[in-house]
Amino acid sequence: MTRRFLLQTILLATVYVVLALLGLKLDAVAGFATLVWPPSGLSLAALLLFGQRLWPGVALGAFLANLFVGAPLPVAAGIALGNTLEAVFGAGALRRIPGFHISLTRLADVLGLIVLAAVLSTLVSSVIGVSSLLLGKIITLSNLIQTWRAWWLGDLVGDLLIAPLLLTWFAPGGNDSTWPLGVRSRVPAMGLRQWGEAAALGVALGAVSIPIFSSGTGITIPMSYLVFPPLIWAVLRFGQRGGTMASLAISAVAIWGTARHFGPFAAGAHRLSEVLDHLQIFVAVVAATIMILGSVMEERSRAVRSRDEVLGIVSHDLRNMLNSISLSAQSLAKKMPEDGQNSLGLIVRSVKRMNGLIGDLRDVAAIEVGRLSLRLEVCSTAALIREAAEAAQPLSADRAQTLIVEAPSPDIQIMGDRERLLQVLANLVGNAIKFTPEGDTVTLKGERIGDSARFAVTDSGPGISRDQMVHVFERYWQANATAYPGSGLGLSIAKGIVEAHGGRIWAESEEGKGSRFFFTLNERPTLVMPEAAD
C-alpha cells in the first residue's frame, strides 16, 4: 500500500464522515435516511476520478459515520457494505458506457449518470441499508417503505447534485503536489466581463430562490419552478460547470428554507420528513434537467467546432490546389496565342471566385461560433472610403456608372480591423453596382452621427419590398437569384463583421426607388496627453 493511496483513503473517509453527519442533521427518517445524502455523490465521483481501488475509503467513511450516529456494529457494517457496493456498481456501470468521460459533456454520459448511477445503483444501498436497520430492530415493518423511499431518493439526489459538480470541476492528472488527492481544478479563465456576468447570475439566482423558499405563506409548489430561467442562463453561458454549481445553490436554498418551515414544500408540515417526497423530486428534477441541457449544449458546440476544423482543413487544401491551377494557367498564358490566353484568363478568374467563396464559407463558420478574428488598429474613415471606391471603380466604369464618394470632413478615427471593414464596404458597394442600372449613380458616403462614424451606400436599383427586407442579412438569402446570381453570403458576413466591431448595420429601401445600406462604428476615444512640465 503506497503512501499516496493511504492518504487518499483517509481523506476520502474523513470527507465522507463530515458530509454524512451534515446530511443526517436534515431530520433523517429513522435517524439514518435523510433528504440528501451527499456522501453518495462524493463516493461515485471519487471512484470515477481515481478508480475502483479507492473503495476502502468509502467503506471506512460509511462505517465510521454510522457508528457516530449510534448504529450498532453489525448495522453500521451492513450499511457500509451497501454504500460501498452502490459506489462500486455505479462507477463500474458508467465506465462501461463506450467513450464515457467524467466531464459529462455528452448526453449519453449524463443519461448514464442519471439512470445507471442515480436511479439503479442507489437501489443497492437503500435495500441493504434498510434491511440492516430492520434486522437490527431500528425500524419496523410499519415504516419500512417510508424509510426505504427516503433513503433511495436521498442517495439519488446526492448522486445528481454532488457527483456532477465534482466531476465537471475536477479531472485526473495535473500537479499532484497542488492537491493531496492528485487532482487539479479545471477552473476556466474568465475576463472581467464574464466575472461581471457571473456576479449578475448569482444575484439573479438569489433574487428568485430566496423569496420563494423563505416565504411563510402564499407560495405554491408550481411557483418553485420559477428558478429555471436563471438556471438555464447559468448552463447556457457557463456550460456544465456553471449549471451544476447553480443547481446546487438553488437546491441548498430550497433545503434550507424547507428545513426552517418556509417555502412551498413546508406548507402545513411540522417536520421536514413529512415533505421529503416533494422536495426530493424537485431537487432531482432541477439537477437532471440542467445536466441534460448542459450536455446537449456541449455536444452542439463540439459539433460546430469540429465542422469549423474540418472546413479549415478542407479549405486550406482546396486553396493550395486552386493556387497551383492559377499559377499553371498564368504560366501557360505567356506561351499561348491570344485565343488561348483568353481561355486561360477565364480559368484564373474562376479560381479567384472559388477562393473568394471558400473565404466566405470560413467567415460564416467563424461568425457562427463567435470566433471571427479581428486585428484592431486606428483607421481613418476617409481613407477606408477612398480605398473602397478605388477598388470598385473599374467595375463601376465597366457599367458606365458614376460612383460618387463623400468622405467625412474633418476625418473620423475609428478602431477596427482595416481589411475586414474594407470587406464590408466592398460587399455593399459591389451589391449597389450590381443592382444599379447601367449609366446610373452609386453613392458611397461617410459622416459623423453623434459619437459614431456612419457609412452609407446608396443605389438606384429596383429596391427591396417590405416583406423581403427582414431577410436581407440572412445567410444564403437572395432577393432575385435568377437575375442577380451570387452565394447569398455577403450581407450575412458583413453583418457579422460589423457586429464583431460592436457596430450596427441596417438597410432602408422602397420598391422602384433603390436601396440604402448603413452601418455605424464608434469613434475612437480621444486620449488627452498630459502637458509636458517646464
Side-chain angles (χ1 to χ4, degrees), residues 207-215 219-220 223-227 262-264:
V208 172
S209 60
I210 292 175
I212 291 175
F213 298 110
S214 63
S215 175
I219 302 295
T220 61
M223 294 180 69
S224 63
Y225 290 93
L226 290 174
V227 301
F262 293 128

Side-chain angles (χ1 to χ4, degrees), residues 235-253:
V235 74
L236 291 181
R237 295 294 294 158
F238 297 97
Q240 201 70 294
R241 298 186 188 98
T244 56
M245 181 167 286
S247 295
L248 180 61
I250 289 287
S251 300
V253 173

Side-chain angles (χ1 to χ4, degrees), residues 3-158:
R3 180 181 299 178
R4 176 176 170 179
F5 172 74
L6 182 61
L7 177 61
Q8 290 175 331
T9 301
I10 294 173
L11 282 175
L12 176 58
T14 302
V15 177
Y16 190 107
V17 170
V18 172
L19 292 180
L21 295 179
L22 289 175
L24 290 171
K25 288 183 177 296
L26 295 174
D27 196 15
V29 176
F32 293 90
T34 186
L35 168 67
V36 180
W37 186 244
S40 64
L42 171 69
S43 304
L44 178 64
L47 297 195
L48 286 171
L49 286 167
F50 311 113
Q52 307 281 49
R53 69 188 184 91
L54 209 59
W55 67 264
V58 178
L60 178 61
F63 179 71
L64 292 176
N66 285 282
L67 280 182
F68 289 159
V69 295
L73 188 64
V75 173
I79 294 175
L81 173 64
N83 290 339
T84 305
L85 290 178
E86 173 193 298
V88 170
F89 288 168
L94 290 177
R95 289 200 176 279
R96 296 182 71 86
I97 297 175
F100 175 79
H101 195 273
I102 61 175
S103 60
L104 302 178
T105 55
R106 301 188 314 161
L107 180 59
D109 298 338
V110 170
L111 292 179
L113 176 68
I114 294 172
V115 177
L116 299 178
V119 175
L120 297 181
S121 76
T122 52
L123 291 173
V124 176
S125 175
S126 59
V127 169
I128 295 178
V130 172
S131 298
S132 299
L133 294 177
L134 183 64
L135 292 174
K137 299 183 179 180
I138 296 176
I139 64 172
T140 63
L141 289 175
S142 62
N143 60 351
L144 175 66
I145 298 300
Q146 179 192 9
T147 305
W148 172 82
R149 184 172 61 242
W151 191 306
W152 175 59
L153 287 174
D155 281 14
L156 181 149
V157 172

Side-chain angles (χ1 to χ4, degrees), residues 35 46 55 70 72 97 149 170 199 202 211 274-275 283 341 343 348 351-352 361 384 388 418 420 424 435 526 529:
L35 168 67
W55 67 264
I97 297 175
R149 184 172 61 242
F170 294 91
E274 297 176 17
V275 294
V283 172
Q341 290 180 1
S343 298
V348 172
V351 167
K352 184 177 180 180
L361 291 173
L384 287 170
R418 177 176 168 277
R420 290 293 190 183
V424 174
F435 287 99
T526 302
M529 301 300 293

Side-chain angles (χ1 to χ4, degrees), residues 412-423:
I412 309 170
Q413 301 293 315
I414 58 176
M415 185 67 74
D417 186 317
R418 177 176 168 277
E419 294 301 322
R420 290 293 190 183
L421 295 177
L422 286 173
Q423 183 180 353

Side-chain angles (χ1 to χ4, degrees), residues 178-236:
T178 303
W179 293 88
L181 285 178
V183 298
R184 58 183 175 86
S185 175
R186 295 168 53 195
V187 179
M190 297 198 304
L192 183 61
R193 183 175 178 180
Q194 288 177 301
W195 279 113
E197 184 177 0
L201 173 62
V203 171
L205 287 168
V208 172
S209 60
I210 292 175
I212 291 175
F213 298 110
S214 63
S215 175
T217 59
I219 302 295
T220 61
I221 289 179
M223 294 180 69
S224 63
Y225 290 93
L226 290 174
V227 301
F228 274 100
L231 285 171
I232 292 171
W233 175 10
V235 74
L236 291 181

